Amino acid sequence: MGKIKNTTLRILITFVSLIFSTTTLSARTIEVGEGKAFSTITEAISVAKPHDVVCIYGKKIYKERLTINKPITLKGVETPIIDGGQKGDVIKVNADNVVIEGLQVQNSARSSEVDYCGVHVKDAHSVVVRNCIFRKNQFSVMYQNCKNGLVANNNISSDITYNPIMGNAVHCWKSDNMHITGNKIGHNRDGIYLEFVNNSHIAHNSVSGCARYGLHFMFSHFNVYNGNHFFHNQAGVAVMFAHHVEMINNTFEFNRGTSSYGLLIKELQYSTIKWNRFLNNTVGLLIDGGSDLNVHHNTIKNNGWGMRLISASTNDTIYHNNFLGNTFDMTTNVSYNRNTVDGNYWDKYEGYDLNKDGYGDVPFHPLSLFSMLAEQNENVLFFFFYKNQTQ
């Protein structure tokens, strides 16, 4: 009989323990704002337990700098403003599993020696920044040494024009499995900057008005970039020192200037560039040091130079692309290279197709003598423009 009572008591204790354990693990909502439990976000974060939601109400300006060192959600209702007063990072995240959403984050510090941020995530995984507005920050969102981060559906731009302190909109360094998607990015130095970032997906972003590159990545491998729109950026998009990259269904347009490109490739290997649109750029696509690239089913239209293929590029396959309305469809700086150019459509082709198989019977040579001279010495372009103006 005693054994039965002891067993019953143990079961009761276990049941009560489970109840308290469940209560402890359940997330609470901690409210900040006029008439709410807390008047400052800092106070609310200090009492929050892991997995709690700190909910900030009202379109109010909170002049606070925040540090998040526990897994919580920081959520704004009616887009409250967190203003750092130009005194450092506005929000620092030093914990895993943090969510920041629905806020306007502005006025980080500005320095030519320190990279200050609107949101600065360091040494953390699974941190989400979504549905936020970023204004007047040096760097808007920065991830350093992170994994499984998500930057989604944010509106990002900066008013900084002084080059030594101008930062990037989304900046990732030494991170893996990042997802940057659906963001609208305006004026910054670079729109999206990635360095030592692998196995990541950058999709459906709109990037314009950047003082340098809309997208700039180096030493970043096994990444996919699809459905992005890069336009009216000072230098276009730059891909450098990478391998196993897929660039699919992106649009590069209206990137114009003496050093502007729709897409600049420098030392890229084993990668695919397909179904993209290169429109109205000074240079649609420049490949310098591309090796074992598949470039196919792209539309290259109304550019000054459609494609520039520099001598260091080898074993590239360029096929089934449409070249339309470019001043020069293709140029190179050597008389021979080890690349395959086949099955493309050239609107300047004047040959014939007697067997009606859709392919010209006479090979087309896109490299004109004048384009070769221009590749060696750009000053000869004066004669090209003079000739067109006098016709």
Side-chain angles (χ1 to χ4, degrees), residues 154-173:
N154 300 288
N155 186 310
I156 305 173
S157 67
S158 177
D159 64 343
I160 299 174
T161 57
Y162 181 52
N163 190 62
I165 62 172
M166 190 187 307
N168 305 322
V170 180
H171 184 109
C172 300
W173 178 82

PDB file of all heavy atoms in Angstrom, residues 154-173:
ATOM      1  N   ASN A 154      12.477  44.409 -46.598  1.00  0.00           N
ATOM      2  CA  ASN A 154      12.813  45.676 -45.969  1.00  0.00           C
ATOM      3  C   ASN A 154      12.934  46.789 -47.015  1.00  0.00           C
ATOM      4  O   ASN A 154      13.196  46.526 -48.194  1.00  0.00           O
ATOM      5  CB  ASN A 154      14.145  45.547 -45.218  1.00  0.00           C
ATOM      6  CG  ASN A 154      14.085  44.488 -44.143  1.00  0.00           C
ATOM      7  OD1 ASN A 154      13.457  44.662 -43.110  1.00  0.00           O
ATOM      8  ND2 ASN A 154      14.737  43.346 -44.384  1.00  0.00           N
ATOM      9  N   ASN A 155      12.762  48.024 -46.569  1.00  0.00           N
ATOM     10  CA  ASN A 155      12.941  49.196 -47.412  1.00  0.00           C
ATOM     11  C   ASN A 155      14.147  49.950 -46.872  1.00  0.00           C
ATOM     12  O   ASN A 155      14.122  50.449 -45.740  1.00  0.00           O
ATOM     13  CB  ASN A 155      11.681  50.064 -47.373  1.00  0.00           C
ATOM     14  CG  ASN A 155      11.738  51.230 -48.350  1.00  0.00           C
ATOM     15  OD1 ASN A 155      12.707  51.973 -48.382  1.00  0.00           O
ATOM     16  ND2 ASN A 155      10.687  51.384 -49.136  1.00  0.00           N
ATOM     17  N   ILE A 156      15.210  50.042 -47.689  1.00  0.00           N
ATOM     18  CA  ILE A 156      16.497  50.495 -47.170  1.00  0.00           C
ATOM     19  C   ILE A 156      17.072  51.597 -48.056  1.00  0.00           C
ATOM     20  O   ILE A 156      17.204  51.420 -49.276  1.00  0.00           O
ATOM     21  CB  ILE A 156      17.503  49.338 -47.102  1.00  0.00           C
ATOM     22  CG1 ILE A 156      16.943  48.159 -46.293  1.00  0.00           C
ATOM     23  CG2 ILE A 156      18.830  49.796 -46.520  1.00  0.00           C
ATOM     24  CD1 ILE A 156      17.809  46.914 -46.329  1.00  0.00           C
ATOM     25  N   SER A 157      17.423  52.716 -47.466  1.00  0.00           N
ATOM     26  CA  SER A 157      18.193  53.742 -48.162  1.00  0.00           C
ATOM     27  C   SER A 157      18.868  54.630 -47.126  1.00  0.00           C
ATOM     28  O   SER A 157      18.522  54.616 -45.945  1.00  0.00           O
ATOM     29  CB  SER A 157      17.320  54.572 -49.100  1.00  0.00           C
ATOM     30  OG  SER A 157      16.394  55.344 -48.371  1.00  0.00           O
ATOM     31  N   SER A 158      19.833  55.405 -47.587  1.00  0.00           N
ATOM     32  CA  SER A 158      20.591  56.267 -46.678  1.00  0.00           C
ATOM     33  C   SER A 158      20.767  57.641 -47.310  1.00  0.00           C
ATOM     34  O   SER A 158      20.801  57.774 -48.542  1.00  0.00           O
ATOM     35  CB  SER A 158      21.953  55.650 -46.370  1.00  0.00           C
ATOM     36  OG  SER A 158      22.729  56.508 -45.555  1.00  0.00           O
ATOM     37  N   ASP A 159      20.921  58.657 -46.470  1.00  0.00           N
ATOM     38  CA  ASP A 159      21.129  60.013 -46.962  1.00  0.00           C
ATOM     39  C   ASP A 159      22.610  60.386 -47.014  1.00  0.00           C
ATOM     40  O   ASP A 159      22.962  61.517 -47.369  1.00  0.00           O
ATOM     41  CB  ASP A 159      20.378  61.018 -46.078  1.00  0.00           C
ATOM     42  CG  ASP A 159      20.918  61.057 -44.648  1.00  0.00           C
ATOM     43  OD1 ASP A 159      21.634  60.105 -44.249  1.00  0.00           O
ATOM     44  OD2 ASP A 159      20.623  62.019 -43.924  1.00  0.00           O
ATOM     45  N   ILE A 160      23.494  59.448 -46.688  1.00  0.00           N
ATOM     46  CA  ILE A 160      24.930  59.750 -46.640  1.00  0.00           C
ATOM     47  C   ILE A 160      25.504  59.782 -48.059  1.00  0.00           C
ATOM     48  O   ILE A 160      25.344  58.834 -48.830  1.00  0.00           O
ATOM     49  CB  ILE A 160      25.677  58.707 -45.792  1.00  0.00           C
ATOM     50  CG1 ILE A 160      25.147  58.730 -44.355  1.00  0.00           C
ATOM     51  CG2 ILE A 160      27.186  58.976 -45.809  1.00  0.00           C
ATOM     52  CD1 ILE A 160      25.727  57.639 -43.467  1.00  0.00           C
ATOM     53  N   THR A 161      26.175  60.868 -48.405  1.00  0.00           N
ATOM     54  CA  THR A 161      26.791  60.997 -49.723  1.00  0.00           C
ATOM     55  C   THR A 161      28.310  61.166 -49.652  1.00  0.00           C
ATOM     56  O   THR A 161      28.984  61.072 -50.673  1.00  0.00           O
ATOM     57  CB  THR A 161      26.195  62.191 -50.482  1.00  0.00           C
ATOM     58  OG1 THR A 161      26.372  63.383 -49.710  1.00  0.00           O
ATOM     59  CG2 THR A 161      24.708  61.980 -50.742  1.00  0.00           C
ATOM     60  N   TYR A 162      28.839  61.406 -48.467  1.00  0.00           N
ATOM     61  CA  TYR A 162      30.288  61.581 -48.299  1.00  0.00           C
ATOM     62  C   TYR A 162      30.949  60.208 -48.357  1.00  0.00           C
ATOM     63  O   TYR A 162      30.728  59.355 -47.487  1.00  0.00           O
ATOM     64  CB  TYR A 162      30.570  62.275 -46.968  1.00  0.00           C
ATOM     65  CG  TYR A 162      32.032  62.522 -46.690  1.00  0.00           C
ATOM     66  CD1 TYR A 162      32.849  63.166 -47.616  1.00  0.00           C
ATOM     67  CD2 TYR A 162      32.601  62.119 -45.481  1.00  0.00           C
ATOM     68  CE1 TYR A 162      34.187  63.395 -47.359  1.00  0.00           C
ATOM     69  CE2 TYR A 162      33.934  62.348 -45.207  1.00  0.00           C
ATOM     70  CZ  TYR A 162      34.723  62.982 -46.156  1.00  0.00           C
ATOM     71  OH  TYR A 162      36.060  63.205 -45.900  1.00  0.00           O
ATOM     72  N   ASN A 163      31.754  59.985 -49.374  1.00  0.00           N
ATOM     73  CA  ASN A 163      32.232  58.641 -49.690  1.00  0.00           C
ATOM     74  C   ASN A 163      32.965  57.930 -48.549  1.00  0.00           C
ATOM     75  O   ASN A 163      32.720  56.734 -48.318  1.00  0.00           O
ATOM     76  CB  ASN A 163      33.134  58.689 -50.932  1.00  0.00           C
ATOM     77  CG  ASN A 163      33.453  57.307 -51.448  1.00  0.00           C
ATOM     78  OD1 ASN A 163      32.565  56.560 -51.850  1.00  0.00           O
ATOM     79  ND2 ASN A 163      34.730  56.947 -51.423  1.00  0.00           N
ATOM     80  N   PRO A 164      33.847  58.568 -47.782  1.00  0.00           N
ATOM     81  CA  PRO A 164      34.578  57.824 -46.734  1.00  0.00           C
ATOM     82  C   PRO A 164      33.684  57.222 -45.652  1.00  0.00           C
ATOM     83  O   PRO A 164      34.101  56.290 -44.960  1.00  0.00           O
ATOM     84  CB  PRO A 164      35.523  58.883 -46.151  1.00  0.00           C
ATOM     85  CG  PRO A 164      35.718  59.861 -47.248  1.00  0.00           C
ATOM     86  CD  PRO A 164      34.395  59.938 -47.943  1.00  0.00           C
ATOM     87  N   ILE A 165      32.479  57.750 -45.446  1.00  0.00           N
ATOM     88  CA  ILE A 165      31.614  57.193 -44.404  1.00  0.00           C
ATOM     89  C   ILE A 165      30.352  56.542 -44.988  1.00  0.00           C
ATOM     90  O   ILE A 165      29.464  56.138 -44.247  1.00  0.00           O
ATOM     91  CB  ILE A 165      31.210  58.263 -43.375  1.00  0.00           C
ATOM     92  CG1 ILE A 165      30.412  59.394 -44.037  1.00  0.00           C
ATOM     93  CG2 ILE A 165      32.427  58.799 -42.647  1.00  0.00           C
ATOM     94  CD1 ILE A 165      29.827  60.374 -43.034  1.00  0.00           C
ATOM     95  N   MET A 166      30.294  56.433 -46.308  1.00  0.00           N
ATOM     96  CA  MET A 166      29.129  55.807 -46.922  1.00  0.00           C
ATOM     97  C   MET A 166      29.246  54.292 -46.823  1.00  0.00           C
ATOM     98  O   MET A 166      30.280  53.707 -47.165  1.00  0.00           O
ATOM     99  CB  MET A 166      29.035  56.223 -48.403  1.00  0.00           C
ATOM    100  CG  MET A 166      27.735  55.822 -49.081  1.00  0.00           C
ATOM    101  SD  MET A 166      27.777  56.158 -50.872  1.00  0.00           S
ATOM    102  CE  MET A 166      28.239  57.892 -50.884  1.00  0.00           C
ATOM    103  N   GLY A 167      28.202  53.629 -46.307  1.00  0.00           N
ATOM    104  CA  GLY A 167      28.233  52.178 -46.136  1.00  0.00           C
ATOM    105  C   GLY A 167      27.274  51.463 -47.065  1.00  0.00           C
ATOM    106  O   GLY A 167      26.697  52.057 -47.986  1.00  0.00           O
ATOM    107  N   ASN A 168      27.079  50.185 -46.819  1.00  0.00           N
ATOM    108  CA  ASN A 168      26.247  49.332 -47.659  1.00  0.00           C
ATOM    109  C   ASN A 168      24.878  49.094 -47.026  1.00  0.00           C
ATOM    110  O   ASN A 168      24.726  49.171 -45.806  1.00  0.00           O
ATOM    111  CB  ASN A 168      26.952  47.999 -47.901  1.00  0.00           C
ATOM    112  CG  ASN A 168      28.341  48.180 -48.482  1.00  0.00           C
ATOM    113  OD1 ASN A 168      28.567  49.059 -49.310  1.00  0.00           O
ATOM    114  ND2 ASN A 168      29.290  47.372 -48.029  1.00  0.00           N
ATOM    115  N   ALA A 169      23.917  48.771 -47.857  1.00  0.00           N
ATOM    116  CA  ALA A 169      22.566  48.518 -47.346  1.00  0.00           C
ATOM    117  C   ALA A 169      22.519  47.199 -46.584  1.00  0.00           C
ATOM    118  O   ALA A 169      22.136  47.150 -45.420  1.00  0.00           O
ATOM    119  CB  ALA A 169      21.561  48.521 -48.490  1.00  0.00           C
ATOM    120  N   VAL A 170      22.883  46.104 -47.242  1.00  0.00           N
ATOM    121  CA  VAL A 170      22.949  44.786 -46.596  1.00  0.00           C
ATOM    122  C   VAL A 170      24.377  44.272 -46.773  1.00  0.00           C
ATOM    123  O   VAL A 170      24.830  44.071 -47.894  1.00  0.00           O
ATOM    124  CB  VAL A 170      21.943  43.796 -47.207  1.00  0.00           C
ATOM    125  CG1 VAL A 170      22.054  42.435 -46.512  1.00  0.00           C
ATOM    126  CG2 VAL A 170      20.517  44.339 -47.113  1.00  0.00           C
ATOM    127  N   HIS A 171      25.059  44.071 -45.673  1.00  0.00           N
ATOM    128  CA  HIS A 171      26.474  43.707 -45.692  1.00  0.00           C
ATOM    129  C   HIS A 171      26.656  42.403 -44.911  1.00  0.00           C
ATOM    130  O   HIS A 171      26.323  42.339 -43.725  1.00  0.00           O
ATOM    131  CB  HIS A 171      27.296  44.829 -45.047  1.00  0.00           C
ATOM    132  CG  HIS A 171      28.781  44.620 -45.087  1.00  0.00           C
ATOM    133  ND1 HIS A 171      29.617  45.361 -45.893  1.00  0.00           N
ATOM    134  CD2 HIS A 171      29.579  43.751 -44.418  1.00  0.00           C
ATOM    135  CE1 HIS A 171      30.860  44.962 -45.719  1.00  0.00           C
ATOM    136  NE2 HIS A 171      30.865  43.972 -44.824  1.00  0.00           N
ATOM    137  N   CYS A 172      27.163  41.387 -45.585  1.00  0.00           N
ATOM    138  CA  CYS A 172      27.375  40.084 -44.925  1.00  0.00           C
ATOM    139  C   CYS A 172      28.840  39.680 -45.079  1.00  0.00           C
ATOM    140  O   CYS A 172      29.391  39.730 -46.189  1.00  0.00           O
ATOM    141  CB  CYS A 172      26.473  39.008 -45.532  1.00  0.00           C
ATOM    142  SG  CYS A 172      24.714  39.367 -45.403  1.00  0.00           S
ATOM    143  N   TRP A 173      29.434  39.230 -43.984  1.00  0.00           N
ATOM    144  CA  TRP A 173      30.831  38.814 -43.983  1.00  0.00           C
ATOM    145  C   TRP A 173      30.957  37.477 -43.261  1.00  0.00           C
ATOM    146  O   TRP A 173      30.426  37.288 -42.165  1.00  0.00           O
ATOM    147  CB  TRP A 173      31.699  39.873 -43.286  1.00  0.00           C
ATOM    148  CG  TRP A 173      33.146  39.507 -43.196  1.00  0.00           C
ATOM    149  CD1 TRP A 173      34.097  39.647 -44.156  1.00  0.00           C
ATOM    150  CD2 TRP A 173      33.815  38.931 -42.062  1.00  0.00           C
ATOM    151  NE1 TRP A 173      35.317  39.196 -43.701  1.00  0.00           N
ATOM    152  CE2 TRP A 173      35.168  38.745 -42.415  1.00  0.00           C
ATOM    153  CE3 TRP A 173      33.370  38.547 -40.789  1.00  0.00           C
ATOM    154  CZ2 TRP A 173      36.093  38.196 -41.536  1.00  0.00           C
ATOM    155  CZ3 TRP A 173      34.307  37.997 -39.914  1.00  0.00           C
ATOM    156  CH2 TRP A 173      35.651  37.834 -40.287  1.00  0.00           C
TER     157      TRP A 173
END
